[in-house]
Amino acid sequence: DKGNHRHFMQKEIYEQPIVVAQTLRSYLQRFEGRIVLPIPDFDLSGIRRVTIVACGTSFYAGMVAKYWFEQFARVPVDLDVASEFRYRAPVMEEGGLALFISQSGETADTLAALRHARAEKQVIAVVVNVPTSTMAREADLLLPTHAGPEIGVASTKAFTCQLAVLAALAANLAKAKGRLTEAEERNIVRQLAEAPAAINGALAYDESIEAIAGTVAGARDVLYLGRGTDYPLALEGALKLKEISYIHAEGYAAGEMKHGPIALIDEHVPVVVIAPTGPLFDKTVSNMQEVQARGGKVLLISDYDGVEAAGEGCVATITMPKVHPLIAPLVYAVPVQLLAYHVAVAKGTDVDQPRNLAKSVTVE
Ligand code: F6R
């Protein structure tokens, strides 16, 4: 039932504050200021390496997690899409943590990768939305998302719930490694607990995003740029746009622009720049200015300070609530989803059932 929404995708975008809160409830002890896992005594202290494997949007959630695991837990992370991982010869030391992320829990390549990691004596952790799925059954450490059934083929609420679980897991690993003081843990709990309200704040910009969808709907090619955890968001934004609007889109690490893709820039190419204020803001802005100098039409997604500092000369700006860097990916996912959604609606494509795509990819 779509309720009063036009599409399942729209309904699922709007459910995010609730389902992220619902998911976080299993991982946060809000009043004690503690982060817990669904298996409370699961010992992560011996983990020396993490291997993250997934497909599509779930892979991009894993890519965000790589930044977190490295930053908070200082554990080396290997990351790959399942269809590559299963056919290369990845080197895994016995006892490493292999982490699989999947909405459906049935994706053929991810499942094959999981079984390969099992044979290589890895500890198998699974972030999964369907609790009765094959991957859920084969996990040593089952980390459920509580997004509820996702009907729209383009994944939205499963993604932000995956990010919520992965942030909690990164903090947990950091704790197990003795890299998190109690005060730091309390602070992370406080930031994560604020995520649902911040996502709500992002949804409040829906109409202004709808108003700029026309800038993108007529384009043949669109670029998305970001740095740090905004780089996987750029990739996710491009994937969302291409799958439901059929516009060619690419996500790039902002610093890679000058190594090739800048040759594509002219006045016909909208460039979506994802750049909350923070340590990487000035770097991304200077890449953005290089785009503008070549006539590129920039749509800047930032917070109030970022839009104030760099919004001039952009064809459009989208202002997000100012949030802690840890929860920024959960918040900035929203404008990226809404932009793809409104562009697809403007183009009149089948938003919930895009051509050539299936919700669950159970063949390789
Ligand atoms: C994109 C999308 C796909 C899935 C991918 C993995 O919107 O939905 O890219 O993310 O097929 O599916 P799961 O997460 O079920 O393994």
Side-chain angles (χ1 to χ4, degrees):
D1 179 21
K2 292 196 273 267
N4 50 14
H5 292 283
R6 208 169 145 191
H7 298 98
F8 280 109
M9 183 181 178
Q10 185 188 38
K11 171 174 177 265
E12 289 162 1
I13 290 172
Y14 271 85
E15 281 173 349
Q16 291 177 112
I18 289 168
V19 294
V20 166
Q22 208 161 276
T23 298
L24 283 170
R25 259 200 291 279
S26 315
Y27 297 86
L28 305 184
Q29 291 178 339
R30 184 89 193 259
F31 297 106
E32 294 83 349
R34 296 277 83 91
I35 297 160
V36 288
L37 294 179
I39 306 176
D41 46 6
F42 200 93
D43 184 14
L44 294 171
S45 62
I47 299 298
R48 303 218 319 253
R49 181 165 203 101
V50 179
T51 303
I52 305 177
V53 183
C55 301
T57 290
S58 297
F59 172 73
Y60 297 140
M63 200 166 164
V64 172
K66 176 182 162 84
Y67 289 85
W68 287 338
F69 287 8
E70 290 174 347
Q71 186 186 339
F72 297 122
R74 303 299 299 145
V75 171
V77 176
D78 187 23
L79 168 82
D80 209 346
V81 291
S83 56
E84 284 302 312
F85 175 84
R86 63 181 291 202
Y87 294 118
R88 63 187 172 93
V91 181
M92 285 172 282
E93 217 177 283
E94 197 175 316
L97 184 72
L99 173 62
F100 301 87
I101 307 162
S102 177
Q103 187 285 127
S104 62
E106 303 294 347
T107 302
D109 280 323
T110 310
L111 183 58
L114 183 159
R115 289 173 178 162
H116 178 69
R118 167 78 69 205
E120 296 284 318
K121 302 203 165 55
Q122 302 298 291
V123 177
I124 308 294
V126 172
V127 176
V128 73
N129 194 44
V130 179
T132 53
S133 62
T134 312
M135 282 183 226
R137 282 198 304 274
E138 297 196 12
D140 300 319
L141 178 59
L142 175 59
L143 302 166
T145 50
H146 302 293
E150 193 179 58
I151 310 293
V153 164
S155 185
T156 53
K157 62 175 180 170
F159 177 68
T160 41
C161 288
Q162 287 165 348
L163 291 176
V165 170
L166 292 164
L169 179 63
N172 228 278
L173 187 59
K175 190 158 77 163
K177 292 268 159 200
R179 291 194 168 269
L180 207 63
T181 66
E182 284 198 6
E184 285 165 339
E185 185 179 357
R186 262 197 303 278
N187 184 41
I188 288 179
V189 170
R190 187 149 25 89
Q191 302 307 337
L192 284 174
E194 279 173 16
I199 293 172
N200 226 351
L203 286 168
Y205 292 89
D206 192 5
E207 274 180 28
S208 54
I209 295 169
E210 184 174 7
I212 62 173
T215 323
V216 174
R220 199 189 59 180
D221 309 287
V222 180
L223 293 181
Y224 285 75
L225 304 180
R227 278 179 189 257
T229 53
D230 300 310
Y231 168 38
L233 278 183
L235 296 168
E236 168 62 3
L239 176 63
K240 235 44 341 152
L241 187 72
K242 65 186 120 179
E243 69 180 329
I244 61 170
S245 75
Y246 316 144
I247 295 172
H248 170 242
E250 297 291 336
Y252 270 99
E256 271 293 293
M257 273 304 282
K258 54 167 78 63
H259 300 286
I262 200 156
L264 291 171
I265 300 298
D266 63 21
E267 65 278 16
H268 304 296
V269 183
V271 181
V272 180
V273 176
I274 306 166
T277 52
L280 300 173
F281 179 73
D282 290 342
K283 300 266 175 215
T284 307
V285 167
S286 96
N287 300 127
M288 183 182 106
Q289 287 160 346
E290 288 156 12
V291 167
Q292 288 170 321
R294 284 152 187 88
K297 289 191 291 192
V298 172
L299 288 78
L300 173 65
I301 310 178
S302 185
D303 45 46
Y304 179 81
D305 293 340
V307 168
E308 278 289 290
E312 221 181 271
C314 296
V315 296
T317 56
I318 302 171
T319 312
M320 288 291 104
K322 182 132 187 152
V323 292
H324 188 272
L326 177 66
I327 64 164
L330 286 85
V331 174
Y332 281 71
V334 173
V336 145
Q337 295 164 347
L338 285 172
L339 183 62
Y341 173 75
H342 288 300
V343 171
V345 170
K347 293 201 75 175
T349 55
D350 187 343
V351 171
D352 285 332
Q353 289 285 322
R355 67 186 184 200
N356 311 340
L357 291 173
K359 183 66 189 159
S360 181
V361 184
T362 53
V363 291
E364 70 165 288

PDB file of all heavy atoms in Angstrom, residues 225 254 273 275 283-293 296 298-300 310-314:
ATOM      1  N   LEU A 225      29.967  14.556  -7.784  1.00  0.00           N
ATOM      2  CA  LEU A 225      31.298  14.628  -7.182  1.00  0.00           C
ATOM      3  C   LEU A 225      31.221  14.684  -5.667  1.00  0.00           C
ATOM      4  O   LEU A 225      30.347  15.342  -5.105  1.00  0.00           O
ATOM      5  CB  LEU A 225      32.035  15.888  -7.654  1.00  0.00           C
ATOM      6  CG  LEU A 225      32.219  16.103  -9.147  1.00  0.00           C
ATOM      7  CD1 LEU A 225      32.972  17.412  -9.385  1.00  0.00           C
ATOM      8  CD2 LEU A 225      32.979  14.941  -9.769  1.00  0.00           C
ATOM      9  N   ALA A 254      35.999  13.759  -6.206  1.00  0.00           N
ATOM     10  CA  ALA A 254      36.172  15.128  -6.717  1.00  0.00           C
ATOM     11  C   ALA A 254      37.604  15.375  -7.207  1.00  0.00           C
ATOM     12  O   ALA A 254      37.811  16.022  -8.232  1.00  0.00           O
ATOM     13  CB  ALA A 254      35.782  16.140  -5.638  1.00  0.00           C
ATOM     14  N   VAL A 273      27.406  18.448  -6.809  1.00  0.00           N
ATOM     15  CA  VAL A 273      28.543  18.414  -5.887  1.00  0.00           C
ATOM     16  C   VAL A 273      28.012  18.216  -4.467  1.00  0.00           C
ATOM     17  O   VAL A 273      27.180  19.001  -3.995  1.00  0.00           O
ATOM     18  CB  VAL A 273      29.370  19.714  -5.985  1.00  0.00           C
ATOM     19  CG1 VAL A 273      30.499  19.718  -4.955  1.00  0.00           C
ATOM     20  CG2 VAL A 273      29.931  19.881  -7.396  1.00  0.00           C
ATOM     21  N   ALA A 275      28.950  18.319  -0.757  1.00  0.00           N
ATOM     22  CA  ALA A 275      30.057  18.885   0.026  1.00  0.00           C
ATOM     23  C   ALA A 275      29.587  19.558   1.308  1.00  0.00           C
ATOM     24  O   ALA A 275      29.470  20.775   1.374  1.00  0.00           O
ATOM     25  CB  ALA A 275      30.829  19.886  -0.838  1.00  0.00           C
ATOM     26  N   LYS A 283      38.715  21.671  -0.423  1.00  0.00           N
ATOM     27  CA  LYS A 283      39.267  20.879  -1.535  1.00  0.00           C
ATOM     28  C   LYS A 283      38.183  20.627  -2.583  1.00  0.00           C
ATOM     29  O   LYS A 283      38.402  20.788  -3.785  1.00  0.00           O
ATOM     30  CB  LYS A 283      39.766  19.522  -1.024  1.00  0.00           C
ATOM     31  CG  LYS A 283      40.841  19.620   0.001  1.00  0.00           C
ATOM     32  CD  LYS A 283      42.194  19.541  -0.647  1.00  0.00           C
ATOM     33  CE  LYS A 283      43.290  19.758   0.376  1.00  0.00           C
ATOM     34  NZ  LYS A 283      44.434  20.468  -0.148  1.00  0.00           N
ATOM     35  N   THR A 284      37.011  20.197  -2.112  1.00  0.00           N
ATOM     36  CA  THR A 284      35.928  19.897  -3.048  1.00  0.00           C
ATOM     37  C   THR A 284      35.479  21.170  -3.765  1.00  0.00           C
ATOM     38  O   THR A 284      35.221  21.158  -4.974  1.00  0.00           O
ATOM     39  CB  THR A 284      34.736  19.249  -2.314  1.00  0.00           C
ATOM     40  OG1 THR A 284      35.226  18.142  -1.577  1.00  0.00           O
ATOM     41  CG2 THR A 284      33.678  18.775  -3.292  1.00  0.00           C
ATOM     42  N   VAL A 285      35.419  22.273  -3.022  1.00  0.00           N
ATOM     43  CA  VAL A 285      34.995  23.540  -3.626  1.00  0.00           C
ATOM     44  C   VAL A 285      35.976  23.960  -4.723  1.00  0.00           C
ATOM     45  O   VAL A 285      35.568  24.452  -5.775  1.00  0.00           O
ATOM     46  CB  VAL A 285      34.832  24.644  -2.555  1.00  0.00           C
ATOM     47  CG1 VAL A 285      34.705  26.020  -3.194  1.00  0.00           C
ATOM     48  CG2 VAL A 285      33.599  24.354  -1.707  1.00  0.00           C
ATOM     49  N   SER A 286      37.251  23.724  -4.511  1.00  0.00           N
ATOM     50  CA  SER A 286      38.178  24.128  -5.571  1.00  0.00           C
ATOM     51  C   SER A 286      37.984  23.257  -6.822  1.00  0.00           C
ATOM     52  O   SER A 286      38.056  23.760  -7.941  1.00  0.00           O
ATOM     53  CB  SER A 286      39.618  24.185  -5.054  1.00  0.00           C
ATOM     54  OG  SER A 286      40.300  23.009  -5.329  1.00  0.00           O
ATOM     55  N   ASN A 287      37.646  21.982  -6.656  1.00  0.00           N
ATOM     56  CA  ASN A 287      37.303  21.144  -7.827  1.00  0.00           C
ATOM     57  C   ASN A 287      36.025  21.660  -8.486  1.00  0.00           C
ATOM     58  O   ASN A 287      35.894  21.654  -9.708  1.00  0.00           O
ATOM     59  CB  ASN A 287      37.102  19.691  -7.420  1.00  0.00           C
ATOM     60  CG  ASN A 287      38.329  19.082  -6.788  1.00  0.00           C
ATOM     61  OD1 ASN A 287      38.252  18.524  -5.700  1.00  0.00           O
ATOM     62  ND2 ASN A 287      39.475  19.186  -7.440  1.00  0.00           N
ATOM     63  N   MET A 288      35.084  22.105  -7.665  1.00  0.00           N
ATOM     64  CA  MET A 288      33.823  22.629  -8.166  1.00  0.00           C
ATOM     65  C   MET A 288      34.064  23.878  -9.011  1.00  0.00           C
ATOM     66  O   MET A 288      33.459  24.072 -10.064  1.00  0.00           O
ATOM     67  CB  MET A 288      32.941  22.936  -6.956  1.00  0.00           C
ATOM     68  CG  MET A 288      31.573  23.426  -7.262  1.00  0.00           C
ATOM     69  SD  MET A 288      30.728  23.789  -5.699  1.00  0.00           S
ATOM     70  CE  MET A 288      30.774  25.554  -5.733  1.00  0.00           C
ATOM     71  N   GLN A 289      34.986  24.724  -8.536  1.00  0.00           N
ATOM     72  CA  GLN A 289      35.276  25.953  -9.284  1.00  0.00           C
ATOM     73  C   GLN A 289      35.946  25.661 -10.622  1.00  0.00           C
ATOM     74  O   GLN A 289      35.728  26.369 -11.601  1.00  0.00           O
ATOM     75  CB  GLN A 289      36.117  26.901  -8.425  1.00  0.00           C
ATOM     76  CG  GLN A 289      35.244  27.526  -7.314  1.00  0.00           C
ATOM     77  CD  GLN A 289      36.019  28.083  -6.158  1.00  0.00           C
ATOM     78  OE1 GLN A 289      37.222  27.809  -6.002  1.00  0.00           O
ATOM     79  NE2 GLN A 289      35.352  28.849  -5.304  1.00  0.00           N
ATOM     80  N   GLU A 290      36.725  24.582 -10.659  1.00  0.00           N
ATOM     81  CA  GLU A 290      37.322  24.184 -11.937  1.00  0.00           C
ATOM     82  C   GLU A 290      36.230  23.801 -12.944  1.00  0.00           C
ATOM     83  O   GLU A 290      36.325  24.069 -14.133  1.00  0.00           O
ATOM     84  CB  GLU A 290      38.288  23.000 -11.732  1.00  0.00           C
ATOM     85  CG  GLU A 290      39.574  23.375 -11.027  1.00  0.00           C
ATOM     86  CD  GLU A 290      40.254  22.207 -10.302  1.00  0.00           C
ATOM     87  OE1 GLU A 290      39.857  21.032 -10.512  1.00  0.00           O
ATOM     88  OE2 GLU A 290      41.175  22.473  -9.517  1.00  0.00           O
ATOM     89  N   VAL A 291      35.196  23.163 -12.425  1.00  0.00           N
ATOM     90  CA  VAL A 291      34.053  22.787 -13.268  1.00  0.00           C
ATOM     91  C   VAL A 291      33.336  24.040 -13.761  1.00  0.00           C
ATOM     92  O   VAL A 291      33.011  24.178 -14.944  1.00  0.00           O
ATOM     93  CB  VAL A 291      33.075  21.878 -12.478  1.00  0.00           C
ATOM     94  CG1 VAL A 291      31.747  21.732 -13.199  1.00  0.00           C
ATOM     95  CG2 VAL A 291      33.693  20.506 -12.217  1.00  0.00           C
ATOM     96  N   GLN A 292      33.112  24.973 -12.834  1.00  0.00           N
ATOM     97  CA  GLN A 292      32.395  26.212 -13.201  1.00  0.00           C
ATOM     98  C   GLN A 292      33.179  27.030 -14.217  1.00  0.00           C
ATOM     99  O   GLN A 292      32.598  27.620 -15.125  1.00  0.00           O
ATOM    100  CB  GLN A 292      32.122  27.042 -11.940  1.00  0.00           C
ATOM    101  CG  GLN A 292      31.043  26.410 -11.071  1.00  0.00           C
ATOM    102  CD  GLN A 292      30.919  27.066  -9.704  1.00  0.00           C
ATOM    103  OE1 GLN A 292      31.918  27.422  -9.092  1.00  0.00           O
ATOM    104  NE2 GLN A 292      29.697  27.202  -9.225  1.00  0.00           N
ATOM    105  N   ALA A 293      34.506  27.023 -14.081  1.00  0.00           N
ATOM    106  CA  ALA A 293      35.338  27.787 -15.015  1.00  0.00           C
ATOM    107  C   ALA A 293      35.216  27.253 -16.437  1.00  0.00           C
ATOM    108  O   ALA A 293      35.528  27.944 -17.406  1.00  0.00           O
ATOM    109  CB  ALA A 293      36.797  27.753 -14.558  1.00  0.00           C
ATOM    110  N   GLY A 296      30.490  24.376 -16.633  1.00  0.00           N
ATOM    111  CA  GLY A 296      29.638  23.335 -16.038  1.00  0.00           C
ATOM    112  C   GLY A 296      28.580  23.936 -15.115  1.00  0.00           C
ATOM    113  O   GLY A 296      28.844  24.900 -14.402  1.00  0.00           O
ATOM    114  N   VAL A 298      26.680  23.739 -11.908  1.00  0.00           N
ATOM    115  CA  VAL A 298      26.847  23.036 -10.628  1.00  0.00           C
ATOM    116  C   VAL A 298      25.581  23.129  -9.772  1.00  0.00           C
ATOM    117  O   VAL A 298      25.009  24.197  -9.596  1.00  0.00           O
ATOM    118  CB  VAL A 298      28.053  23.596  -9.848  1.00  0.00           C
ATOM    119  CG1 VAL A 298      28.114  23.007  -8.444  1.00  0.00           C
ATOM    120  CG2 VAL A 298      29.348  23.307 -10.606  1.00  0.00           C
ATOM    121  N   LEU A 299      25.170  21.984  -9.253  1.00  0.00           N
ATOM    122  CA  LEU A 299      24.138  21.910  -8.215  1.00  0.00           C
ATOM    123  C   LEU A 299      24.851  21.526  -6.929  1.00  0.00           C
ATOM    124  O   LEU A 299      25.365  20.414  -6.817  1.00  0.00           O
ATOM    125  CB  LEU A 299      23.094  20.839  -8.543  1.00  0.00           C
ATOM    126  CG  LEU A 299      22.100  21.103  -9.674  1.00  0.00           C
ATOM    127  CD1 LEU A 299      22.743  20.879 -11.029  1.00  0.00           C
ATOM    128  CD2 LEU A 299      20.894  20.193  -9.528  1.00  0.00           C
ATOM    129  N   LEU A 300      24.917  22.445  -6.003  1.00  0.00           N
ATOM    130  CA  LEU A 300      25.672  22.205  -4.774  1.00  0.00           C
ATOM    131  C   LEU A 300      24.752  21.734  -3.651  1.00  0.00           C
ATOM    132  O   LEU A 300      23.745  22.375  -3.354  1.00  0.00           O
ATOM    133  CB  LEU A 300      26.389  23.493  -4.338  1.00  0.00           C
ATOM    134  CG  LEU A 300      27.094  23.450  -2.970  1.00  0.00           C
ATOM    135  CD1 LEU A 300      28.248  22.447  -2.964  1.00  0.00           C
ATOM    136  CD2 LEU A 300      27.602  24.853  -2.586  1.00  0.00           C
ATOM    137  N   ALA A 310      30.051  29.033  -0.780  1.00  0.00           N
ATOM    138  CA  ALA A 310      30.414  28.588  -2.132  1.00  0.00           C
ATOM    139  C   ALA A 310      29.242  28.527  -3.100  1.00  0.00           C
ATOM    140  O   ALA A 310      29.410  28.107  -4.245  1.00  0.00           O
ATOM    141  CB  ALA A 310      31.091  27.208  -2.036  1.00  0.00           C
ATOM    142  N   GLY A 311      28.063  28.954  -2.658  1.00  0.00           N
ATOM    143  CA  GLY A 311      26.873  28.806  -3.504  1.00  0.00           C
ATOM    144  C   GLY A 311      26.818  29.725  -4.704  1.00  0.00           C
ATOM    145  O   GLY A 311      26.130  29.434  -5.683  1.00  0.00           O
ATOM    146  N   GLU A 312      27.593  30.828  -4.639  1.00  0.00           N
ATOM    147  CA  GLU A 312      27.529  31.779  -5.743  1.00  0.00           C
ATOM    148  C   GLU A 312      28.035  31.140  -7.033  1.00  0.00           C
ATOM    149  O   GLU A 312      29.026  30.428  -7.033  1.00  0.00           O
ATOM    150  CB  GLU A 312      28.405  32.993  -5.402  1.00  0.00           C
ATOM    151  CG  GLU A 312      27.760  34.304  -5.804  1.00  0.00           C
ATOM    152  CD  GLU A 312      28.670  35.472  -5.466  1.00  0.00           C
ATOM    153  OE1 GLU A 312      28.549  35.970  -4.341  1.00  0.00           O
ATOM    154  OE2 GLU A 312      29.505  35.821  -6.320  1.00  0.00           O
ATOM    155  N   GLY A 313      27.337  31.373  -8.109  1.00  0.00           N
ATOM    156  CA  GLY A 313      27.782  30.807  -9.379  1.00  0.00           C
ATOM    157  C   GLY A 313      27.238  29.403  -9.618  1.00  0.00           C
ATOM    158  O   GLY A 313      27.451  28.824 -10.685  1.00  0.00           O
ATOM    159  N   CYS A 314      26.531  28.842  -8.639  1.00  0.00           N
ATOM    160  CA  CYS A 314      25.902  27.535  -8.846  1.00  0.00           C
ATOM    161  C   CYS A 314      24.525  27.759  -9.483  1.00  0.00           C
ATOM    162  O   CYS A 314      23.867  28.751  -9.182  1.00  0.00           O
ATOM    163  CB  CYS A 314      25.728  26.795  -7.517  1.00  0.00           C
ATOM    164  SG  CYS A 314      27.296  26.396  -6.723  1.00  0.00           S
TER     165      CYS A 314
END
